Structures are given as structure tokens and as C-alpha cells.
Amino acid sequence: MEPLRVGVVGVGGMGTRHAHNLHHHVGEAEVAGVVDADEARAVEIASRYGAQRYEDAAGLIAAVDAVVVASPDATHAELALACVKAGKPTLCEKPLATTVEGGRAVVDAELAAGRRFVQVGFMREYDPAHLAVKEALDEGIVGPARLFSGWHRNLTTGTARTIEDVIFNSAVHDLHSARWLLGREIEEVFVRRVTAGEGTVVVTILLSMAGGALGSIEVNLDSGYGYEVGVEVTGSAGVVRTGPLPTPVVRAGQAAAQAIDRDWLTRFEQAYVAEVRQWIRSVVAGRPSGPSAWDGYVSLLAARACVDSVRSGLPEAVAAGLPPDLYGSEG
Ligand code: ISE
């Protein structure tokens, strides 16, 4: 069978990682096209993977079988929409959009087409540590969930980040994790933040979830020590938590030490491979799976409520409603 011809829009850190994984880890696909605002970079990445460089995203979308969208956040919705309209299966990096309306437009386009085309890049769904927690919850080992707790720490902010960016670019992962792991919707959020200079550095989000569960999320953009993401869920009969660091404990110089990741590209290395591999397999099989455009949209509703809560100083409701039939089951 001919490999699926995949085009990558945006070849910064994330797009290049997806291209690398497609090239080295997915036999059923090839990187056929690349486009990037930085022409020199596009040429370099295209030649690295034997792909063609396209002048613009429209040309690439028309020419390939499937698309990875890894361009800047504000471009995601428009590109995902173009892919749906062209009938091209798409792995779109998170967030699906930077506005609720942008995310809804993608959902509406899929509803009009009567098919799912877009998978959103919530890669934690493919991380072995998160999957083990999900499995324990689904097996009922700790009983029905009562409390979700998530922590998400970046090494450093680099540049000052606005509250919108922190919530839509970073916390959106954790909002999705809570929904995915508990299999319940977020009903209300209450958010406080710590600022330094021009930027937001720490955010805490309190969640009320359907079925009476509560949650708390810590997003620290400036941990100063490394990159760490984990979750703990308390049920009626126990607690399940992502395991400790996978790195070896080294005892030397009267100290015990473990290495901590620097960023998501190392922490979620395995997850990114599994994500793109399963995405390609689902495209080949014609059976969409993984986080859907609906998941992307609902996480944006929660994100919007978080920003509103920071501004109002009050809890804010999140009204996702029931998913349309298209999203009720796999496909
Ligand atoms: C980044 O864009 C990501 O998606 C990472 O997974 C996340 O941990 C980080 O906070 C974001 O800025």
C-alpha cells in the first residue's frame, strides 16, 4: 500500500517533531509537504524529510492526503476549517482555536460534513503515565472520582505571558485532562493568578465537575527547576496518581538525585510518537479516534470561563451541553 502523504503546516519545534516522528516511526505515512512562514526553515525541514516545500497552506492542503497543523495558535482554527472543507484528516495542535467561536466553527463544519476530520493534539491521552491512571479509573479500582488534582510546571516563561495565553496555550491541556480522565464535564471554574512584571506566572484553577466531583489545577509557568506534569484522582475507595519520575535515582556526594525533564518534547517523547502513529492508523482505517474537535471546543469553553473568572474575581459557569451524535462515540 502507498504511504499516506502527510503535509505539515508550521515546522517550529512541534511541527518538526511531528515530521520526525512520521518519518522515523510511522511506516504507513511519509512527510510529503511542508510549509512555514520562515522560508529557510521550511526548505531545511523539507529537504531533511524528502518533502516538497509549499508556498502557502492552501496549496499544501490541496496536494496531500492528511495534514498536521502546528503553526502559531492563532492560525489553528482557520487552517483546521480549511482542512475540513477540503475533506482532509487533520492532526491539529492544541488549542483548536484561540476563541470559542473559532473552535465552534470547526465543530459546525464537521457537523455539516457529517464526518470527523480533526484530531486535537492533547497528547497526554497517549502518555503511559496518564493512560495507567485512566485505566485504573475506568476499571473502578478507586471507585467513582471525587477529586481531580493536576500540576503543570514549565521551567521558565521565557517571555511575559498574558493570562489568555497561559490559559489557552497551557492550562487547556489540564482542563482537557480533567474531562478525559473523569469522563465528566467541567461545570464551573474559579481562577486566581500570580503575576510578575508584565506576565502571569502561576495560576490555580478550582473546578466543579458534573456528578459532584471537584478539582484543582496548578499551572506554573516559571517553576525555575524543570518541566513536570502529573495528576492525582481521589475516588470513593482510593487514590490513583501518575508515578514518580522515570529517571534513575543517583546517590553521590552525600545526596540522592533524579533528573527532571526540561520541556514537553522530552517529557512527552513517547506520547508524541504514539499520538501520530495512532492518528495515521485511524486515518488509514477511516475510523477517527482520539481527542475530537468537540473536545477541543469544550476545552475552549472552559478556558474562556477561566479567563472570565480572573477578570470578574468570581466563579464562572461552563455550559458545554451534550455532544452532538457525531461525537457521541468513536467516529
Ligand atoms: C506548550 O505549548 C505545550 O503545549 C506544552 O505541552 C505545555 O506544557 C506548555 O505549557 C505549553 O506552553
Side-chain angles (χ1 to χ4, degrees):
M1 209 173 104
E2 288 291 296
L4 200 78
R5 304 179 72 252
V6 181
V8 183
V9 182
V11 282
M14 204 58 250
T16 300
R17 174 59 66 89
H18 287 311
H20 171 96
N21 287 342
L22 282 162
H23 185 79
H24 291 286
H25 298 289
V26 189
E28 304 93 323
E30 67 180 19
V31 183
V34 162
V35 66
D36 196 284
D38 179 340
E39 194 183 315
R41 176 131 188 104
V43 168
E44 182 201 332
I45 302 300
S47 81
R48 188 184 299 172
Y49 299 113
Q52 183 174 335
R53 181 187 77 87
Y54 286 82
E55 296 274 323
D56 56 41
L60 174 135
I61 292 168
V64 297
D65 301 323
V67 182
V68 172
V69 173
S71 45
D73 292 1
T75 64
H76 290 179
E78 198 184 323
L79 288 163
L81 206 51
C83 291
V84 173
K85 290 190 174 151
K88 302 291 163 88
T90 305
L91 175 61
C92 180
E93 264 309 324
K94 43 52 60 179
L96 175 59
T98 47
T99 62
V100 167
E101 296 71 25
R104 183 71 217 193
V106 179
V107 165
D108 286 342
E110 288 195 332
L111 290 174
R115 265 183 68 185
R116 277 178 58 182
F117 289 99
V118 178
Q119 175 173 328
V120 179
F122 290 126
M123 75 300 186
R124 295 181 189 177
E125 287 203 24
Y126 301 88
D127 171 50
H130 283 77
L131 280 168
V133 169
K134 175 73 174 154
E135 211 174 285
L137 289 168
D138 288 353
E139 282 172 9
I141 295 170
V142 297
R146 290 178 169 161
L147 184 63
F148 168 89
S149 164
W151 51 99
H152 177 173
R153 303 181 188 132
N154 286 11
L155 175 59
T156 170
T157 51
T159 54
R161 291 179 61 179
T162 62
I163 185 66
E164 280 83 2
D165 182 54
V166 173
I167 299 290
F168 280 79
N169 179 270
S170 293
V172 74
H173 275 299
D174 310 283
L175 296 165
H176 176 71
S177 288
R179 298 180 57 240
W180 168 61
L181 288 169
L182 270 57
R184 300 186 201 180
E185 287 302 350
I186 298 168
E187 294 183 332
E188 189 182 80
V189 296
F190 179 59
V191 185
R192 292 287 202 208
R193 67 164 160 175
V194 174
T195 54
E198 298 285 292
T200 294
V201 287
V202 179
V203 173
T204 65
I205 305 173
L206 294 180
L207 307 172
S208 299
M209 301 191 66
L214 295 176
S216 71
I217 294 170
E218 165 202 326
V219 182
N220 181 352
L221 278 303
D222 207 14
S223 77
Y225 74 87
Y227 181 80
E228 274 201 289
V229 168
V231 295
E232 181 175 278
V233 181
T234 302
S236 58
V239 174
V240 55
R241 184 186 172 106
T242 43
L245 299 170
T247 44
V249 183
V250 177
R251 289 183 154 73
Q254 293 178 298
Q258 272 186 292
I260 296 178
D261 288 301
R262 184 183 171 79
D263 63 24
W264 49 95
L265 291 175
T266 53
R267 164 66 181 82
F268 290 107
E269 190 173 347
Q270 273 181 280
Y272 288 125
V273 172
E275 175 186 53
V276 87
R277 196 180 265 156
Q278 289 186 37
W279 172 60
I280 291 295
R281 293 196 177 147
S282 77
V283 171
V284 171
R287 249 180 281 116
S289 66
S292 67
W294 177 257
D295 292 317
Y297 163 67
V298 175
S299 67
L300 294 174
L301 282 176
R304 181 72 255 163
C306 286
V307 174
D308 289 348
S309 174
V310 170
R311 304 250 182 272
S312 67
L314 298 169
E316 296 284 345
V318 183
L322 290 175
D325 288 348
L326 183 64
Y327 304 102
S329 59
E330 298 288 280

